[in-house]
Amino acid sequence: MQQTISIAYSRQSFEELPHEQQQVAQAAIDAMQGAHAPYSNFLVGSAVLLADGSTVTGNNQENAAYPSGLCAERVALFAAKSQTKQSIRIVAIAAQNEHGKCADSFSCGSCRQVMMEYATLQDEKIAVIMRDHEGQFVVLEDARQLLPFSFGADTLK
Ligand SMILES: [Zn+2]
């Protein structure tokens, strides 16, 4: 039987975002400056908003042994979860290319997998805000929508 998956999202300017989302998005933008990206010069920043309103940030960390590096959002997510058991409410991501221009910051599959697992374990949605190459913000209410048929989801509960 044929079935279809659809994903609901919004795309809006920074000014159109609700105030709380603006704050997390701005934290992600600011976090780009801490990136260690001497190989790609592609800067990515991420910010995670926790249940108590606090924010944990991260940025891409590259390494001469390329696979040893880590994406910004996983740096932020792992830092947050290493410090607290609080649930995660929002993950924001922003990127700029080697020319200093906005670039799509859509999460890779591994980061989507990590967000899926945390959202499933906390049994609460994690909203995702990703700045695109035009400087607009793509917002999804539930990170799990980014990874249908995800690995291991059936074993987490
Ligand atoms: Zn990633």
Side-chain angles (χ1 to χ4, degrees), residues 71-74 107-112:
C71 302
E73 54 270 58
R74 270 184 291 160
S107 294
C108 77
S110 293
C111 290
R112 294 176 191 210

Side-chain angles (χ1 to χ4, degrees), residues 82-140:
S82 71
Q83 296 166 26
T84 180
K85 298 298 182 195
Q86 289 183 66
S87 59
I88 295 166
R89 295 184 48 220
I90 300 174
V91 178
I93 312 142
Q96 70 178 42
N97 64 23
E98 68 275 24
H99 306 297
K101 304 292 187 191
C102 289
D104 286 342
S105 64
F106 306 140
S107 294
C108 77
S110 293
C111 290
R112 294 176 191 210
Q113 179 74 27
V114 169
M115 288 189 260
M116 179 283 295
E117 180 156 331
Y118 286 145
T120 300
L121 288 172
Q122 72 186 24
D123 199 23
E124 293 174 48
K125 293 176 183 175
I126 298 175
V128 185
I129 305 170
M130 300 176 288
R131 193 175 72 171
D132 70 15
H133 68 279
E134 293 182 333
Q136 299 287 299
F137 291 83
V138 172
V139 182
L140 290 96

